[in-house]
């Protein structure tokens, strides 16, 4: 059986928490930009295209899902269900957006 390096595991967990926080922060700022018409918040990189609100929501949901990722021996199934629901919502948003482009269809998202 293979033993994992505790320092490496700790660094990877810290990186995943940082990525989750970045996703939630960026998505939240973009949604605030859309809600209050703040152009600087709508675009992640100034001068580039604005991020769509559905993508910002997907960033938030993906960040939440990643943040709630815990080892399998978690005693409560609640975080797992929330994590899976967020991941499913991201997949649905992505799938609907892809269908909009492929089928020239307006799903309203």
């Amino acid at each position: 059986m293979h033993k994992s390096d505790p320092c490496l595991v700790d660094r990877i967990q810290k990186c995943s928490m940082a990525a989750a926080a970045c996703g939630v922060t960026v998505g939240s700022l973009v949604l605030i930009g859309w809600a209050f018409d703040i152009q600087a918040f709508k675009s992640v990189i100034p001068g580039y295209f604005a991020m769509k609100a559905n993508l910002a929501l997907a960033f938030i949901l993906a960040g939440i899902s990643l943040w709630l990722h815990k080892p399998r021996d978690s005693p409560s199934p609640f975080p797992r269900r929330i994590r899976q629901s967020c991941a499913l919502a991201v997949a649905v948003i992505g799938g609907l957006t892809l269908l909009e482009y492929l089928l020239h269809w307006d799903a309203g998202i």
Side-chain angles (χ1 to χ4, degrees), residues 13-96:
Q13 287 175 341
K14 286 179 181 176
C15 283
S16 70
M17 292 298 109
C22 284
V24 171
T25 301
V26 167
S28 297
L29 287 174
V30 170
L31 286 181
I32 289 169
W34 280 104
F36 296 104
D37 198 27
I38 303 171
Q39 191 61 36
F41 284 9
K42 291 181 188 178
S43 176
V44 177
I45 301 172
Y48 283 85
F49 294 105
M51 182 186 286
K52 301 290 185 185
N54 60 340
L55 179 58
L57 178 61
F59 264 59
I60 293 169
L61 292 171
I64 292 169
S65 181
L66 183 57
W67 187 269
L68 292 175
H69 183 72
K70 303 290 181 210
R72 292 180 186 238
D73 57 358
S74 179
S76 171
F78 184 71
R80 179 177 48 87
R81 288 195 179 125
I82 295 296
R83 182 178 71 236
Q84 290 173 340
S85 298
C86 288
L88 177 63
V90 170
V92 168
I93 290 169
L96 286 174

